[in-house]
Amino acid sequence: MERKHTRAFVSHAQRHGRAASDAARAEQADLVRTRVRLMIEITARAGAYRKGLVQAAERLSPEEAEILADLEGHGLQVPQLRDVLRGGHVLVDDPRLYEKWRLAKGSHPRISSHHRDIDKKLYPDIGMRGQVVREKLHGRTVQGTWVQLEKTPAAFGGSKLPRPSDLRHLMDYVVYKFTDSNVGPWGLSRMTERRPMYLSPVLAMPTSLSPPVARSLTQALRRIEANDDVTSASQELAGRFPPPDRPDLAGELGQALSDRGGRGLFGNSDVWVTQTPSRTAAAVLRESRKATAADDWRTGGSS
């Protein structure tokens, strides 16, 4: 009897744990969707898009939000989101995204002409439909993952017969050939497979320095650090609080930035104020300008 009660208790605890885990995942998914919707609303304030973007963002699915959030996690900024929504071709030097997006709900194999150097039997291109992405298409590259949003999904290939959407897809291809721009769900983008957008590119090439070069570089770095230390505070304080002694200054040059390093989410976004200006502040500024103009008139406009 005790073992029966014990098994029932363990089973109840496991169900409770799964329910709590599911609730935590749902809460996290809601937070991601909210964040991505805000990014879309912000980028929709500037630039021309096809109508309906903000309304579509309100019906953003968790799978769509996860894809855009993954791009943001790899350095996508709000200004770059504009090109992504317009069909820009994106390269991310992270092959894990291919498998992650491949297993997402609603994903299905697709035929495309992108990155023909990849074995499509081993790494087939994957599509997924959604309110914002319309048709998300992604696949593998030699060292990462590529992704592109399309205005019109294509079903041709294999045993499937052509559909009306396939004809619209061919029309989008004609637009691409004439404009040299990808046709995305919300506009056109010049970032094609030949001129893609790079996120988190693997550019670091480790190399060793010869001993004379390393000594010279270390001496130069120590001089720069000493000058910075003296000019940042009074010379007396700088002498009392020296910086930490690091034996290998040259080795620090090759260290990468942290995951959140760089210019930040908003990058080179345009900054604008949406609040109504204070009437009191406006009145004070007008009076100040009037007083300055009167003083200039009395002094003949010279200082």
Side-chain angles (χ1 to χ4, degrees), residues 47-55 85-87 134 150-151 172 175 182-188:
Y49 291 94
R50 292 192 177 94
K51 294 182 179 180
L53 174 58
V54 176
Q55 290 76 9
L85 295 173
R86 290 172 173 170
R134 293 292 178 88
E150 297 183 341
K151 177 186 176 184
D172 293 343
V175 173
N182 283 346
V183 181
W186 306 105
L188 302 179

Side-chain angles (χ1 to χ4, degrees), residues 172-193:
D172 293 343
Y173 177 75
V174 172
V175 173
Y176 160 75
K177 295 299 290 184
F178 275 93
T179 64
D180 198 22
S181 300
N182 283 346
V183 181
W186 306 105
L188 302 179
S189 173
R190 286 283 194 177
M191 292 189 171
T192 63
E193 185 177 340

Side-chain angles (χ1 to χ4, degrees), residues 27-289:
E27 182 179 1
Q28 179 64 25
D30 286 339
L31 290 175
V32 172
R33 289 172 64 190
T34 300
R35 178 179 178 84
V36 173
R37 277 198 296 262
L38 288 174
M39 290 173 58
I40 293 174
E41 291 176 3
I42 291 171
T43 192
R45 295 186 181 187
Y49 291 94
R50 292 192 177 94
K51 294 182 179 180
L53 174 58
V54 176
Q55 290 76 9
E58 296 175 356
R59 302 188 298 274
L60 185 74
S61 69
E63 293 75 23
E64 295 176 274
E66 186 174 11
I67 291 170
L68 295 177
D70 286 339
L71 293 179
E72 188 260 320
H74 283 76
L76 180 76
Q77 301 166 353
V78 168
Q80 294 173 308
L81 178 60
R82 190 177 310 160
D83 268 294
V84 173
L85 295 173
R86 290 172 173 170
H89 194 86
V90 183
L91 300 181
V92 188
D93 285 345
D94 187 349
R96 295 172 299 177
L97 291 180
Y98 173 81
E99 291 298 334
K100 181 181 180 182
W101 296 344
R102 182 180 185 177
L103 299 175
K105 179 181 177 182
S107 295
H108 54 272
R110 264 281 312 272
I111 294 178
S112 80
S113 59
H114 297 293
H115 298 272
R116 298 180 180 179
D117 57 330
I118 299 298
D119 184 354
K120 299 295 183 175
K121 293 183 179 180
L122 183 61
Y123 299 112
D125 296 335
I126 305 296
M128 186 190 77
R129 300 181 184 181
Q131 295 291 333
V132 172
V133 302
R134 293 292 178 88
E135 174 80 352
K136 179 275 307 172
L137 184 61
H138 87 275
R140 270 297 306 267
T141 65
V142 174
Q143 61 184 17
T145 306
W146 65 268
V147 63
Q148 181 177 314
L149 306 186
E150 297 183 341
K151 177 186 176 184
T152 309
F156 50 77
S159 60
K160 294 183 178 180
L161 296 175
R163 300 178 180 178
S165 61
D166 296 326
L167 298 179
R168 291 194 293 269
H169 189 86
L170 291 175
M171 292 174 62
D172 293 343
Y173 177 75
V174 172
V175 173
Y176 160 75
K177 295 299 290 184
F178 275 93
T179 64
D180 198 22
S181 300
N182 283 346
V183 181
W186 306 105
L188 302 179
S189 173
R190 286 283 194 177
M191 292 189 171
T192 63
E193 185 177 340
R194 296 179 180 179
R195 298 182 297 275
M197 176 192 303
Y198 287 94
L199 297 179
S200 301
V202 178
L203 300 178
M205 296 295 292
T207 183
S208 59
L209 298 176
S210 63
V213 173
R215 285 194 299 269
S216 177
L217 181 60
T218 300
Q219 292 172 0
L221 292 174
R222 290 196 182 280
R223 286 197 302 271
I224 293 172
E225 188 174 70
N227 292 335
D228 289 342
D229 184 50
V230 172
T231 57
S232 62
S234 67
Q235 191 168 2
E236 182 180 357
L237 288 176
R240 293 185 179 184
F241 300 97
D245 186 19
R246 301 187 300 281
D248 186 16
L249 291 178
E252 297 182 3
L253 293 179
Q255 293 182 358
L257 295 174
S258 64
D259 290 341
R260 305 307 301 170
R263 294 180 295 169
L265 175 62
F266 292 95
N268 58 347
S269 301
D270 295 330
V271 179
W272 61 89
V273 178
T274 57
Q275 293 178 337
T276 303
S278 169
R279 295 182 178 179
T280 303
V284 171
L285 291 174
R286 283 196 298 270
E287 291 297 329
S288 176
R289 284 196 293 268

